[in-house]
Amino acid sequence: MHQVESYQKQLSALHSADEVDKFFKKIQSEEKNSEVLSSFALQTMKVFQAEQGYLTAYYCYRILSDHCKPEIIGDVKKIREGLPPLPGLRDYRTDYDELLALLENRAKGKCDCTVKTKYNTSPSDALFKIESQQSDQETYSTSYEVICKKCGQKWNVTEDSGYHYPVFGWKKSK
Ligand SMILES: [Zn+2]
Protein backbone atom coordinates (compact mmCIF):
# COMPACT_ATOMS: atom_id res chain seq x y z
CA MET A 1 0.00 0.00 0.00
CA HIS A 2 2.71 2.40 -1.07
CA GLN A 3 0.16 4.76 -2.60
CA VAL A 4 -1.75 5.08 0.70
CA GLU A 5 1.39 6.31 2.49
CA SER A 6 2.10 8.73 -0.33
CA TYR A 7 -1.41 10.21 -0.01
CA GLN A 8 -1.00 10.49 3.76
CA LYS A 9 2.25 12.41 3.29
CA GLN A 10 0.66 14.73 0.72
CA LEU A 11 -2.30 15.43 3.00
CA SER A 12 -0.17 16.15 6.07
CA ALA A 13 1.79 18.76 4.09
CA LEU A 14 -1.35 20.81 3.35
CA HIS A 15 -2.17 23.87 5.44
CA SER A 16 -5.39 25.44 4.23
CA ALA A 17 -8.94 24.14 3.88
CA ASP A 18 -8.78 25.17 0.24
CA GLU A 19 -5.77 22.92 -0.40
CA VAL A 20 -7.44 20.03 1.46
CA ASP A 21 -10.57 20.49 -0.63
CA LYS A 22 -8.59 20.42 -3.90
CA PHE A 23 -6.52 17.43 -2.78
CA PHE A 24 -9.56 15.26 -2.00
CA LYS A 25 -11.36 16.26 -5.20
CA LYS A 26 -8.24 15.36 -7.18
CA ILE A 27 -7.68 11.91 -5.66
CA GLN A 28 -11.38 11.06 -5.89
CA SER A 29 -11.36 11.72 -9.62
CA GLU A 30 -7.89 10.28 -10.37
CA GLU A 31 -7.51 7.26 -8.09
CA LYS A 32 -9.23 4.34 -9.81
CA ASN A 33 -8.44 1.74 -7.15
CA SER A 34 -11.27 2.04 -4.62
CA GLU A 35 -9.39 -0.19 -2.15
CA VAL A 36 -6.52 2.33 -2.06
CA LEU A 37 -8.98 5.20 -1.58
CA SER A 38 -10.92 3.55 1.23
CA SER A 39 -7.78 2.31 2.96
CA PHE A 40 -6.35 5.85 2.81
CA ALA A 41 -9.58 7.30 4.26
CA LEU A 42 -9.61 4.70 7.04
CA GLN A 43 -5.94 5.28 7.98
CA THR A 44 -6.46 9.06 7.91
CA MET A 45 -9.43 8.88 10.28
CA LYS A 46 -7.64 6.53 12.69
CA VAL A 47 -5.20 9.36 13.48
CA PHE A 48 -7.60 12.29 12.92
CA GLN A 49 -6.93 15.40 15.03
CA ALA A 50 -9.23 18.38 15.65
CA GLU A 51 -6.65 20.76 14.08
CA GLN A 52 -7.22 19.09 10.71
CA GLY A 53 -10.74 20.52 10.61
CA TYR A 54 -14.00 18.96 9.58
CA LEU A 55 -13.25 18.95 5.82
CA THR A 56 -10.87 15.98 6.04
CA ALA A 57 -13.39 14.08 8.20
CA TYR A 58 -16.15 14.93 5.70
CA TYR A 59 -14.26 13.71 2.62
CA CYS A 60 -13.12 10.53 4.37
CA TYR A 61 -16.71 9.83 5.38
CA ARG A 62 -17.79 10.29 1.75
CA ILE A 63 -15.08 7.93 0.47
CA LEU A 64 -15.83 5.32 3.14
CA SER A 65 -19.58 5.39 2.59
CA ASP A 66 -19.10 5.11 -1.19
CA HIS A 67 -16.53 2.32 -1.17
CA CYS A 68 -16.59 0.38 2.06
CA LYS A 69 -17.74 -3.07 3.00
CA PRO A 70 -19.26 -4.03 6.37
CA GLU A 71 -15.95 -5.62 7.45
CA ILE A 72 -14.72 -2.22 8.67
CA ILE A 73 -17.58 -1.74 11.18
CA GLY A 74 -15.21 -2.37 14.12
CA ASP A 75 -12.69 0.21 12.86
CA VAL A 76 -15.40 2.81 12.23
CA LYS A 77 -16.83 2.27 15.75
CA LYS A 78 -13.41 3.02 17.24
CA ILE A 79 -12.97 6.06 14.98
CA ARG A 80 -16.41 7.40 15.93
CA GLU A 81 -15.70 7.05 19.67
CA GLY A 82 -12.48 9.03 19.36
CA LEU A 83 -13.72 11.89 17.16
CA PRO A 84 -13.13 15.29 18.80
CA PRO A 85 -15.98 17.82 18.90
CA LEU A 86 -15.53 20.77 16.52
CA PRO A 87 -17.32 24.13 16.46
CA GLY A 88 -19.98 24.39 13.75
CA LEU A 89 -23.69 24.62 13.09
CA ARG A 90 -24.10 20.88 12.85
CA ASP A 91 -22.11 18.12 14.52
CA TYR A 92 -19.87 16.56 11.84
CA ARG A 93 -19.76 13.36 13.90
CA THR A 94 -23.32 12.63 12.75
CA ASP A 95 -21.71 11.64 9.40
CA TYR A 96 -19.92 8.81 11.18
CA ASP A 97 -23.13 7.71 12.93
CA GLU A 98 -24.64 7.50 9.44
CA LEU A 99 -21.62 5.60 8.13
CA LEU A 100 -21.97 3.02 10.94
CA ALA A 101 -25.70 2.68 10.28
CA LEU A 102 -24.98 2.28 6.53
CA LEU A 103 -22.43 -0.48 7.11
CA GLU A 104 -24.70 -2.33 9.55
CA ASN A 105 -27.53 -2.00 7.05
CA ARG A 106 -25.32 -3.37 4.23
CA ALA A 107 -24.31 -6.31 6.45
CA LYS A 108 -28.02 -7.21 6.58
CA GLY A 109 -28.20 -6.99 2.78
CA LYS A 110 -30.50 -3.94 2.79
CA CYS A 111 -30.35 -1.00 0.38
CA ASP A 112 -28.51 2.19 1.44
CA CYS A 113 -31.63 4.28 0.84
CA THR A 114 -33.28 2.92 4.01
CA VAL A 115 -30.50 4.59 6.05
CA LYS A 116 -29.68 7.64 3.92
CA THR A 117 -33.28 8.88 4.06
CA LYS A 118 -33.02 9.07 7.87
CA TYR A 119 -29.91 11.28 7.91
CA ASN A 120 -30.95 14.52 6.21
CA THR A 121 -29.59 13.36 2.85
CA SER A 122 -30.12 15.70 -0.10
CA PRO A 123 -32.20 14.31 -3.00
CA SER A 124 -29.21 15.22 -5.22
CA ASP A 125 -27.15 12.47 -3.54
CA ALA A 126 -25.75 10.12 -6.21
CA LEU A 127 -27.89 7.22 -4.95
CA PHE A 128 -31.09 8.96 -6.10
CA LYS A 129 -32.60 10.25 -9.30
CA ILE A 130 -34.88 13.28 -9.05
CA GLU A 131 -37.95 12.71 -11.20
CA SER A 132 -39.70 16.01 -10.50
CA GLN A 133 -39.49 19.01 -8.20
CA GLN A 134 -41.77 21.85 -7.20
CA SER A 135 -41.01 25.01 -5.20
CA ASP A 136 -43.40 26.85 -2.91
CA GLN A 137 -42.37 30.53 -2.59
CA GLU A 138 -44.60 31.15 0.45
CA THR A 139 -43.30 28.40 2.70
CA TYR A 140 -39.68 28.39 1.40
CA SER A 141 -40.03 24.69 0.73
CA THR A 142 -39.44 22.44 -2.26
CA SER A 143 -40.99 19.02 -2.86
CA TYR A 144 -39.28 16.33 -4.87
CA GLU A 145 -40.25 12.99 -6.29
CA VAL A 146 -37.20 10.79 -6.14
CA ILE A 147 -36.32 7.21 -7.06
CA CYS A 148 -33.53 5.05 -5.56
CA LYS A 149 -31.20 4.02 -8.40
CA LYS A 150 -30.27 0.78 -6.61
CA CYS A 151 -33.55 -0.74 -5.46
CA GLY A 152 -36.18 1.35 -7.30
CA GLN A 153 -37.97 2.54 -4.15
CA LYS A 154 -39.79 5.85 -4.74
CA TRP A 155 -39.62 8.65 -2.17
CA ASN A 156 -41.35 11.98 -1.56
CA VAL A 157 -38.93 14.57 -0.20
CA THR A 158 -39.68 17.97 1.30
CA GLU A 159 -36.85 20.48 1.55
CA ASP A 160 -37.28 23.20 4.17
CA SER A 161 -34.92 26.16 3.63
CA GLY A 162 -36.05 28.14 6.66
CA TYR A 163 -33.06 26.95 8.75
CA HIS A 164 -29.31 27.67 8.67
CA TYR A 165 -28.93 24.62 6.44
CA PRO A 166 -31.52 22.75 4.36
CA VAL A 167 -33.61 20.18 6.21
CA PHE A 168 -34.99 17.24 4.22
CA GLY A 169 -37.96 15.12 5.18
CA TRP A 170 -38.25 11.74 3.42
CA LYS A 171 -41.34 9.59 3.06
CA LYS A 172 -41.79 6.38 1.09
CA SER A 173 -44.22 6.74 -1.76
CA LYS A 174 -45.90 3.65 -3.13
ZN1 LIG B 1 -32.78 1.79 -2.35
Side-chain angles (χ1 to χ4, degrees):
M1 283 287 170
H2 197 68
Q3 191 57 47
V4 172
E5 284 164 30
S6 159
Y7 284 150
Q8 282 181 298
K9 258 190 200 157
Q10 289 174 47
L11 177 63
S12 64
L14 303 178
H15 297 293
S16 72
D18 197 41
E19 286 174 324
V20 171
D21 192 52
K22 277 189 193 138
F23 169 76
F24 274 102
K25 281 181 178 149
K26 184 169 177 279
I27 65 165
Q28 277 183 295
S29 71
E30 289 177 4
E31 178 57 62
K32 301 300 173 207
N33 186 337
S34 68
E35 226 162 277
V36 168
L37 266 186
S38 55
S39 160
F40 165 64
L42 200 60
Q43 295 308 321
T44 299
M45 290 315 293
K46 278 181 182 172
V47 293
F48 179 75
Q49 304 277 317
E51 304 84 77
Q52 288 173 264
Y54 77 94
L55 207 53
T56 295
Y58 170 74
Y59 275 114
C60 288
Y61 139 75
R62 289 297 301 265
I63 291 172
L64 292 170
S65 58
D66 285 348
H67 299 288
C68 273
K69 299 191 173 72
E71 288 87 276
I72 63 157
I73 286 177
D75 286 328
V76 174
K77 265 188 190 151
K78 260 187 229 152
I79 287 169
R80 172 65 186 90
E81 281 163 16
L83 286 179
L86 289 173
L89 285 172
R90 68 181 281 279
D91 191 344
Y92 79 103
R93 295 174 296 186
T94 309
D95 291 340
Y96 284 81
D97 293 332
E98 179 191 337
L99 178 60
L100 267 178
L102 264 182
L103 294 170
E104 279 161 5
N105 194 55
R106 278 178 201 170
K108 290 180 204 151
K110 291 190 191 164
C111 185
D112 286 356
C113 70
T114 54
V115 167
K116 287 207 169 192
T117 52
K118 288 181 190 141
Y119 282 86
N120 204 37
T121 300
S122 161
S124 50
D125 185 281
L127 180 62
F128 303 101
K129 181 170 174 268
I130 297 172
E131 304 223 288
S132 70
Q133 73 183 77
Q134 212 170 7
S135 295
D136 185 331
Q137 306 293 346
E138 271 173 30
T139 60
Y140 297 104
S141 68
T142 307
S143 328
Y144 301 84
E145 280 180 34
V146 165
I147 186 162
C148 173
K149 288 181 192 168
K150 257 192 194 164
C151 74
Q153 175 67 51
K154 288 185 177 178
W155 297 86
N156 289 320
V157 191
T158 314
E159 174 178 0
D160 191 337
S161 311
Y163 299 87
H164 291 295
Y165 53 86
V167 173
F168 300 100
W170 290 73
K171 262 187 206 152
K172 270 186 188 175
S173 79
K174 53 179 173 78

